[in-house]
């Protein structure tokens, strides 16, 4: 099913002879090591860390006596998460969770950081949540395809 969905996401004429290569090969990414596509587990771990960080930051007003209702706090956490994605990806190419898990988001093809307008598109689509669950054969969600990005492994910094 994932393979068929991937073909549908890629548009007409997407069934080619190179369909059997490793994920990321068509994007010019190596099969393993730095620069290769990040695993789904590492991406999930990064999102969890970023979500926990957003939740902690949403609790800061409580230190000053400002109480938020449950639904308001949820919206604040959601907003902080999306703002973190937008600002940090635009400036550094990785969020705090991505940095902890050795991931980054790069422009494909070519590598390097993506421009702000496309990171904004990626963040808005990510905020809809649904695009994350529809991946192509290169394991990129709709939000990454729309922005021309891919989550990749980056070398750990000392």
């Amino acid at each position: 099913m994932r393979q068929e969905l991937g073909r549908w996401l890629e548009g007409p004429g997407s069934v080619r002879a190179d369909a059997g290569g490793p994920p990321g090969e068509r994007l010019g990414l190596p099969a393993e090591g730095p620069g290769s596509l990040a695993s789904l587990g590492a991406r999930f771990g990064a999102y969890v860390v970023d979500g926990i960080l957003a939740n902690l930051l949403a609790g800061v007003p409580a230190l000053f006596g400002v109480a938020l209702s449950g639904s308001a706090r949820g919206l604040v956490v959601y907003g902080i998460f999306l703002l973190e994605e937008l600002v940090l990806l635009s400036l550094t190419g990785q969020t705090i969770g991505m940095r902890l898990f050795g991931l980054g988001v790069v422009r494909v093809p070519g590598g390097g950081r993506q421009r702000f307008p496309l990171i904004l598109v990626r963040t808005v689509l990510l905020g809809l949540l649904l695009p994350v669950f529809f991946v192509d054969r290169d394991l990129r969600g709709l939000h990454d395809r729309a922005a021309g990005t891919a989550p990749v492994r980056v070398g750990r910094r000392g």
Side-chain angles (χ1 to χ4, degrees), residues 69-157:
S69 69
S71 60
R73 181 176 168 85
L75 287 174
V76 169
V77 170
Y78 184 64
I80 290 172
F81 177 83
L82 293 177
L83 187 63
E84 176 190 4
E85 287 279 328
L86 178 64
V87 171
L88 293 178
L89 286 181
S90 296
L91 295 176
T92 66
Q94 52 186 180
T95 64
I96 294 169
M98 289 177 186
R99 185 170 176 92
L100 289 174
F101 278 84
L103 310 178
V105 173
V106 297
R107 179 179 57 239
V108 288
R113 286 198 316 253
Q114 187 57 283
R115 297 183 324 266
F116 177 79
L118 290 172
I119 293 296
L120 179 62
V121 167
R122 182 186 187 278
T123 302
V124 168
L125 288 174
L126 180 63
L128 299 176
L129 295 178
L130 190 60
V132 175
F133 297 107
F134 292 105
V135 297
D136 62 9
R137 65 179 164 207
D138 291 314
L139 304 177
R140 294 189 308 159
L142 288 175
H143 61 296
D144 280 316
R145 287 186 52 86
T149 59
V152 297
R153 295 180 181 129
V154 295
R156 300 219 185 239
R157 297 182 183 140

